[in-house]
Amino acid sequence: MSQRTPLSAIALVSPVQLMIGGIIFLPAIYVFWLSLNQSSFGQAASFVGFANYAKVLGDPYFWKALLNTVIVVAVVVHVELLLGLGMALFFASGVPFRPLLLAIVLAPYAVSEVSAVVMWRFLFEPDVGMMSRLLMSLGLPPIEWAVNPGHGLAMVSLLSIWLHLPFSFIILYAARLSISSDLYEAAAIDGASPWTSFRRVTLPLLMPALLIAALFRYIFAFRLFSEVWLMTGGGPARSTEVMAVYLYLEAFRYNAFGPAAATGWLLVLASLLLALLYLRRLYREMFGKHA
């Protein structure tokens, strides 16, 4: 027979549930209602059904922003995971001066995005930037991020990797430290090479942490805004827009609240779908025998 939850327990958790409902669910419901209406500053909302979704999906700038988002997210997340995994294995191997190196690696996560963009704009300024001069001294062309869309997206990707790499690294490093050294000793006794130990011991045990890091970074990267807006502003000619910048422009430059709200819900649905796929994979990795 199931035991009923006491009223005291419900009373203790109800404030948190009310706060979550007030901060997350009520605004989400309002945005969904707004996506079904035509609205702007000083204009009463008028119901238009799914016309805003049709308008957004028929806008070529939306598809350009979506393509840019997919490219940036794919590059940023996978490069971050590879670098984070390599750094986690490197630190776990017993590198000297580990506390100092850890502080250096984690330092970018303490830098605000605005400060980071200002610093990178100065370093990669095509004419006088220190990094641009270094590239030219090596016989390479500078990164013309302000006028070349490809260079702009590459610059945004590099900046995002630099800013958020500590997040992926710390998850993978903690997971690597949790693996018992007895497993590696047993693998060495069985004659396993370092590469075999990595494939057969390290990688399978790190897979849940890899999936969790990938899930969070995919969701956060889909919401990428500050780096693009402060670095290129979506230019030139809206060629470096990502989804969050497209939503911002629709809402606050073109005062189209309905299409902006529809774009927001499309982002929510894409994030939920991605989260569902990764959570299913994570469940199978952790509870495969019973899935």
Side-chain angles (χ1 to χ4, degrees), residues 63-81:
W63 294 106
K64 178 64 176 176
L66 179 61
L67 177 62
N68 290 341
T69 303
V70 170
I71 293 174
V72 171
V73 168
V75 171
V76 166
V77 173
H78 292 97
V79 171
E80 273 188 33
L81 290 177

Side-chain angles (χ1 to χ4, degrees), residues 15-196:
V16 176
Q17 302 301 323
L18 290 175
M19 183 181 66
I20 293 175
I23 295 176
I24 298 178
F25 292 108
L26 289 180
I29 293 172
Y30 174 75
V31 170
F32 179 70
W33 172 84
L34 193 61
S35 70
L36 303 177
N37 291 267
Q38 183 179 356
S39 177
S40 183
F41 284 116
Q43 175 187 345
S46 58
F47 184 77
V48 294
F50 291 97
N52 288 322
Y53 291 90
K55 179 181 178 181
V56 169
L57 295 175
D59 187 356
Y61 286 115
F62 169 82
W63 294 106
K64 178 64 176 176
L66 179 61
L67 177 62
N68 290 341
T69 303
V70 170
I71 293 174
V72 171
V73 168
V75 171
V76 166
V77 173
H78 292 97
V79 171
E80 273 188 33
L81 290 177
L82 287 175
L83 290 177
L85 177 60
M87 291 166 58
L89 297 177
F90 175 70
F91 275 87
S93 65
V95 61
F97 307 107
R98 183 163 52 182
L100 176 62
L101 294 178
L102 276 174
I104 295 174
V105 169
L106 298 178
Y109 214 51
V111 179
S112 70
E113 294 176 347
V114 176
S115 301
V117 171
V118 171
M119 179 176 63
W120 277 58
R121 285 173 66 101
F122 177 75
L123 288 174
F124 287 91
E125 206 284 328
D127 296 323
V128 299
M130 184 177 66
M131 295 303 297
S132 296
R133 288 180 175 272
L134 177 61
L135 291 175
M136 288 187 288
S137 67
L138 297 175
L140 300 174
I143 301 178
E144 299 178 342
W145 48 267
V147 295
N148 189 315
H151 290 188
L153 291 177
M155 188 74 168
V156 168
S157 300
L158 290 173
L159 175 58
S160 183
I161 291 170
W162 182 79
L163 274 172
H164 302 289
L165 177 61
F167 176 84
S168 301
F169 161 72
I170 202 67
I171 291 178
L172 298 177
Y173 182 50
R176 171 60 185 85
L177 291 180
S178 67
I179 301 176
S180 174
S181 59
D182 295 341
L183 297 175
Y184 294 100
E185 293 176 1
I189 292 173
D190 291 338
S193 64
W195 172 245
T196 303

